[in-house]
């Protein structure tokens, strides 16, 4: 077998492989092939294996049927307030008709880009800068509607349009930053003022409650102290009346209390009460007055009264009044006194308080005369007096 035959067999094998390649075509999933036969559209091949006529059928284009994402460069757009902003857009589209996408437009990607730019300028031109920055959803909806309507005849469906970035000029950005800073400072000042206000209100409420509680405590303490003093005075009063003290004992106690009237650094003048002479007369009679038969000081036997055994549980038997009830009663009495003072225009006459039952004023007893002392009517004899030599007082 000569070399010519080998060359012929090799050429035949190559031709067979070419024929096989042009006859059998395997189309991937989500891909479509546009087939032309002798220069005219024949059919569209979907995913799978297909048989073509060699040298008659030709693949015009391969179209990807998956959703595509296209990002366009920033486009300068003028707003309604004559400000130029650069806007980046992102388009999500899907080819739904491969034949129209190939034969209705030469380059549908370029067509979508130019259509997006013109539609974006129309939409942004009716809005100012603030609306442009805050109305992205509205702009996206208008762009999608305009693009979907225009690209529908190309066999392309626009699924979504997004504004990736809106860049105003640098001067506008600086002004916006200053405005936002001023707004944040204003909000911070308002929040600070609200906090100070609430703090002052809470502090005032706390001081009010504290003052009320202190006043209530002082009132209850005063009521309890008054009750204790009342009970002590009553017990002393009862003890005095049970012991039946004489005039001599009262005069002695009076002299013991008398030096306390002169105590104090602010006292410049000491006024001696008029009852001092009576007290001294009583003390003189108790210490040196009278005859030998009468008692010299101390209590008379017939005047002394046995008070009886002291009750050790006297404090346990007495109970204090409830401070709340006493405070309420004191408030009622104060209100009643205020109303009575308001009703009466003229001051009431002073009436000497009546003495309670069992209270007796100390009577000044005349000095007793001994049986041997001469009477005051006898001539030549001075009137009888006490040990101090003073004349007895007339009853």
């Amino acid at each position: 077998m000569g070399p010519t035959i080998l060359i012929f067999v090799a050429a035949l094998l190559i031709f067979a492989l070419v024929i096989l390649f042009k006859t059998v075509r395997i189309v991937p999933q989500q891909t479509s092939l546009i087939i032309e036969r002798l220069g005219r559209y024949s059919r569209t091949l979907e995913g799978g294996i297909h048989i073509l006529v060699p040298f008659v059928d030709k693949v015009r284009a391969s179209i990807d049927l998956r959703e595509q994402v296209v990002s366009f460069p920033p486009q300068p757009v003028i707003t309604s307030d004559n400000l130029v902003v650069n806007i980046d857009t992102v388009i999500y589209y899907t080819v739904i008709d491969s034949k129209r996408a190939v034969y209705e437009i030469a380059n549908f990607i370029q067509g979508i880009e130019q259509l997006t730019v013109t539609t974006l300028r129309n939409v942004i031109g009716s809005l100012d800068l603030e609306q442009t920055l805050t109305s992205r959803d509205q702009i996206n909806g208008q762009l999608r509607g305009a693009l979907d309507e225009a690209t529908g005849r190309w066999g392309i469906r626009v699924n979504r349009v997004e504004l990736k970035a809106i860049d105003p000029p640098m001067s506008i950005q600086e002004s916006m930053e200053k405005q936002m800073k001023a707004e944040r400072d204003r909000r911070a000042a308002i929040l600070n003022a609200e906090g100070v206000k609430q703090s002052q209100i809470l502090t005032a409420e706390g001081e009010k409650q504290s003052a009320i509680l202190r006043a209530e405590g002082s009132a209850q303490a005063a009521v309890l102290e008054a009750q204790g003093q009342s009970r002590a005075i009553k017990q002393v009063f009862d003890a005095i009346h049970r012991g039946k003290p004489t005039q001599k004992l009262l005069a002695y106690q009076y002299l013991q209390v008398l030096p306390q009237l002169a105590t104090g650094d602010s006292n410049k003048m000491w006024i001696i009460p008029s009852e001092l002479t009576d007290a001294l007369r009583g003390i003189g009679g108790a210490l040196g007055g009278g005859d030998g038969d009468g008692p010299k000081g101390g209590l008379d036997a017939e005047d002394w009264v046995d008070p009886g055994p002291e009750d050790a549980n006297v404090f346990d038997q007495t109970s204090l009044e409830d401070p709340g009830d006493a405070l309420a009663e004191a408030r009622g009495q104060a209100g009643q006194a205020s109303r009575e003072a308001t009703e009466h225009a003229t001051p009431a006459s002073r009436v000497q308080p009546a003495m309670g039952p069992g209270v007796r004023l100390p009577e000044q007893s005349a000095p007793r005369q001994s049986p041997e002392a001469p009477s005051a009517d006898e001539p030549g004899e001075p009137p009888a007096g006490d040990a101090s030599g003073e004349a007895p007082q007339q009853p």
Side-chain angles (χ1 to χ4, degrees), residues 318-346:
T318 59
S319 60
L320 294 179
E321 187 180 357
D322 187 7
D325 298 339
L327 181 60
E329 183 179 358
R331 289 178 177 175
Q333 293 178 359
Q336 182 178 1
S338 177
R339 290 192 297 271
E340 291 178 356
T342 306
E343 292 175 358
H344 297 283
T346 59

Side-chain angles (χ1 to χ4, degrees), residues 99-321:
K99 178 182 177 182
R100 287 189 295 176
V102 173
Y103 292 102
E104 294 293 337
I105 186 172
N107 190 345
F108 61 87
I109 297 296
Q110 185 178 1
I112 292 175
E113 180 181 0
Q114 297 302 322
L115 185 60
T116 301
V117 172
T118 55
T119 306
L120 185 62
R121 288 178 178 176
N122 293 333
V123 174
I124 299 299
S126 61
L127 302 175
D128 56 10
L129 179 60
E130 185 176 357
Q131 292 177 348
T132 301
L133 296 175
T134 59
S135 304
R136 293 197 175 193
D137 293 338
Q138 180 182 355
I139 297 174
N140 295 338
Q142 293 181 4
L143 284 176
R144 182 183 177 281
L147 291 176
D148 196 17
E149 182 181 359
T151 58
R153 63 178 184 271
W154 300 340
I156 297 174
R157 182 181 62 207
V158 177
N159 300 324
R160 193 172 181 180
V161 180
E162 292 291 340
L163 301 182
K164 185 168 62 175
I166 300 177
D167 298 328
M170 294 301 299
S171 59
I172 301 300
Q173 291 183 7
E174 293 177 359
S175 301
M176 292 173 61
E177 290 178 358
K178 293 180 180 178
Q179 180 182 1
M180 293 303 298
K181 182 179 179 181
E183 182 67 20
R184 286 192 295 268
D185 293 340
R186 183 182 69 86
R187 293 180 181 179
I190 292 175
L191 292 177
N192 189 18
E194 289 291 338
V196 172
K197 175 183 176 182
Q198 293 294 331
S199 176
Q200 292 178 353
I201 290 175
L202 293 178
T203 302
E205 289 291 339
E207 292 178 354
K208 174 183 175 182
Q209 295 295 333
S210 177
I212 291 174
L213 292 178
R214 283 197 298 268
E216 292 290 341
S218 300
Q220 292 185 5
V223 170
L224 291 176
E225 184 178 0
Q227 290 180 358
Q229 292 179 357
S230 174
R231 189 179 65 178
I233 292 173
K234 183 178 179 181
Q235 290 180 356
V236 172
F237 186 79
D238 294 341
I240 290 175
H241 280 271
R242 289 172 60 197
K244 294 182 179 181
T246 62
Q247 180 66 21
K248 301 173 184 179
L249 178 60
L250 294 178
Y252 178 70
Q253 292 293 331
Y254 183 83
L255 291 179
Q256 284 185 338
V257 176
L258 188 60
Q260 298 180 4
L261 299 177
T263 59
D265 298 335
S266 61
N267 290 339
K268 303 299 182 182
M269 181 174 58
W270 184 24
I271 299 175
I272 301 176
S274 60
E275 293 82 358
L276 179 61
T277 57
D278 298 337
L280 292 176
R281 185 183 301 111
I283 291 298
L287 296 178
D291 298 334
D293 297 338
K296 295 183 180 181
L299 297 176
D300 296 337
E302 63 274 7
D303 294 337
W304 182 81
V305 179
D306 187 8
E310 182 180 0
D311 190 0
N313 298 325
V314 65
F315 292 99
D316 298 336
Q317 295 175 1
T318 59
S319 60
L320 294 179
E321 187 180 357

Side-chain angles (χ1 to χ4, degrees), residues 52-67:
L52 302 179
V53 178
F55 305 104
V56 176
D57 294 337
K58 179 182 177 182
V59 179
R60 170 66 186 271
S62 176
I63 306 299
D64 194 346
L65 300 179
R66 295 174 296 179
E67 185 175 9

Side-chain angles (χ1 to χ4, degrees), residues 5 19 28 37 50 57 79 111 143 290 305 314 348:
I5 297 176
I19 294 299
R37 177 169 294 180
H50 300 275
D57 294 337
T79 61
L143 284 176
V305 179
V314 65

Side-chain angles (χ1 to χ4, degrees), residues 369 371-384:
Q369 298 179 356
E372 295 79 10
S375 64
D377 296 333
E378 294 180 1
E381 294 294 331

